[in-house]
Amino acid sequence: MSEIDIEKKFLENAKKHFPIKKPRNIFSLMKLDHYENPITDLLEFFLYDKNDHGLGNVFFQGFLDCIPNGDTLPGELICKPQREVSTEDGKRIDLILSGADFSIIIENKIRHSAVNPFKSYVEYAEKYLIEDGKNIIYVLLSPGGQSEKKNWIGLSYPKLVSAIRKRLLAISSKEENKWYMFSEEFLNHLASLTEKYEMQDENKDFVFSNLANIRKLERLKKNVYNIYERDISEKIFPLLQDFKKKVSCKTSWPNGPRWEIESWNGAVKVILYYKSVGNNVTPQIRIYVYKINIEKCKKEDGQILL
């Protein structure tokens, strides 16, 4: 069996470990998947039972199910959650939930590391929220649920989604409630944000057990790209006479290799790329003409070399 045949067999075995594409939802279609503010706005809306969703305390009780000793706290809020609360030094707290004998500070992180001014949040809470022995709870909500901040509880989206869904099942009038359907879509979206954190042990084992073969495939891919770059240069360069020419390969292009051919003294760029949809790969070409540089491409008699 040739080395190519071995690599083909390896790729066939690898397919079962490929990431499963998450179903699209209204939030991903609206390109809101990485914006924390609209996500936190929706959390604020669903966490408060007196908002118009008609789902009662399902979201808040599901939230309490996820934090230590949450079952000992009253299962309702005494006022509307506060958003973007300013501290004395101008920092902003994502969300504050207030109960009869507790306040919960929530910092919501989606795709950024937790480098927020947590000290400012705590100073604000200790100055303005502690009264009559009120308990202050600090929660760092994120797709992965990690928290390295002292006294901050790490809560993951999957855990929160699972707890809320259990509570939603008990709603009897859900078929008549448009907000129930919207809340399900919202929870689906939160779940989709955790894709990179959800990986089975067998997927990890496969990668670490086959690092040598994976490196071989990377080298094979690079060699093929280099051959194509050479072939492109051999075909294109004789046509460009003495004009500036450059072929560069963008191997990080998401759907496949992309070559940028810059010539005609910067007036034209030719893009040759392979568009990959599933297992189908189609070569495509785009040509960009930069009018601002067009004078550089004129002959002495005024003709344009394009």
Side-chain angles (χ1 to χ4, degrees):
M1 184 179 293
S2 68
E3 184 173 352
I4 294 295
D5 290 332
I6 293 174
E7 302 303 346
K8 285 182 177 179
K9 184 177 180 180
F10 172 72
L11 276 175
E12 286 298 319
N13 293 333
K15 286 181 179 179
K16 61 184 179 182
H17 296 281
F18 289 173
I20 299 174
K21 188 175 182 180
K22 297 289 184 179
R24 303 182 77 178
N25 57 70
I26 189 172
F27 300 99
S28 60
L29 289 172
M30 294 172 65
K31 308 300 182 184
L32 296 177
D33 54 322
H34 62 286
Y35 292 107
E36 291 172 2
N37 280 337
I39 298 299
T40 311
D41 286 339
L42 284 166
L43 281 172
E44 180 272 325
F45 175 73
F46 284 114
L47 282 169
Y48 189 45
D49 66 315
K50 292 182 175 58
N51 281 329
D52 296 335
H53 51 71
L55 300 176
N57 283 312
V58 167
F59 266 69
F60 181 60
Q61 289 171 349
F63 177 85
L64 293 181
D65 292 339
C66 298
I67 62 175
N69 302 316
D71 57 341
T72 64
L73 299 176
E76 61 182 9
L77 301 174
I78 59 174
C79 63
K80 186 175 182 178
Q82 297 172 270
R83 280 281 288 122
E84 293 289 310
V85 179
S86 296
T87 62
E88 290 188 341
D89 56 353
K91 310 304 180 184
R92 292 185 180 275
I93 300 172
D94 282 345
L95 195 57
I96 299 179
L97 310 180
S98 298
D101 58 0
F102 67 87
S103 288
I104 302 175
I105 306 291
I106 299 177
E107 176 62 27
N108 184 25
K109 305 303 295 181
I110 294 183
R111 293 187 178 174
H112 302 285
S113 56
V115 293
N116 297 69
F118 292 94
K119 182 179 178 182
S120 296
Y121 302 163
V122 173
E123 289 175 351
Y124 176 91
E126 291 179 346
K127 183 172 182 178
Y128 294 103
L129 301 179
I130 291 181
E131 54 184 44
D132 300 327
K134 180 175 280 192
N135 186 24
I136 307 295
I137 301 169
Y138 303 97
V139 177
L140 180 56
L141 177 63
S142 67
Q146 298 90 352
S147 174
E148 298 178 358
K149 303 299 178 182
K150 185 178 179 181
N151 298 325
W152 284 78
I153 300 168
L155 174 57
S156 71
Y157 284 171
K159 186 175 181 179
L160 179 62
V161 169
S162 177
I164 293 173
R165 279 178 171 159
K166 288 179 181 178
R167 295 278 183 173
L168 278 172
L169 290 175
I171 295 180
S172 58
S173 59
K174 53 191 176 185
E175 291 82 5
E176 303 172 3
N177 188 339
K178 70 174 183 180
W179 289 110
Y180 177 89
M181 298 176 62
F182 194 77
S183 70
E184 277 287 333
E185 190 75 348
F186 177 49
L187 293 174
N188 288 337
H189 181 61
L190 290 183
S192 73
L193 294 175
T194 67
E195 180 178 357
K196 67 178 181 178
Y197 297 95
E198 296 176 340
M199 182 172 288
Q200 302 298 322
D201 288 338
E202 61 182 21
N203 303 132
K204 302 172 187 176
D205 292 340
F206 172 80
V207 170
F208 285 109
S209 299
N210 292 279
L211 283 176
N213 283 330
I214 293 172
R215 285 196 295 269
K216 287 181 181 178
L217 285 172
E218 287 291 334
R219 287 197 298 270
L220 176 63
K221 182 182 74 172
K222 184 177 180 180
N223 289 339
V224 171
Y225 286 0
N226 289 339
I227 290 172
Y228 267 77
E229 185 170 326
R230 181 200 65 194
D231 292 345
I232 291 169
S233 300
E234 290 179 352
K235 296 290 185 182
I236 295 292
F237 284 1
L239 305 176
L240 302 183
Q241 301 179 11
D242 296 325
F243 289 91
K244 180 177 69 175
K245 43 193 173 288
K246 175 184 176 184
V247 176
S248 58
C249 182
K250 309 293 185 180
T251 57
S252 61
W253 193 245
N255 290 323
R258 160 180 165 146
W259 290 272
E260 295 185 357
I261 307 164
E262 298 181 11
S263 185
W264 295 279
N265 290 342
V268 175
K269 180 182 288 186
V270 179
I271 307 296
L272 170 63
Y273 65 101
Y274 280 82
K275 186 174 183 180
S276 175
V277 179
N279 290 325
N280 298 318
V281 180
T282 305
Q284 299 188 23
I285 294 177
R286 291 180 182 173
I287 299 176
Y288 299 89
V289 179
Y290 301 95
K291 293 183 178 180
I292 192 171
N293 294 326
I294 207 72
E295 292 297 324
K296 298 180 181 179
C297 300
K298 288 185 177 180
K299 289 183 179 181
E300 293 182 0
D301 59 3
Q303 291 184 349
I304 299 176
L305 294 174
L306 289 182

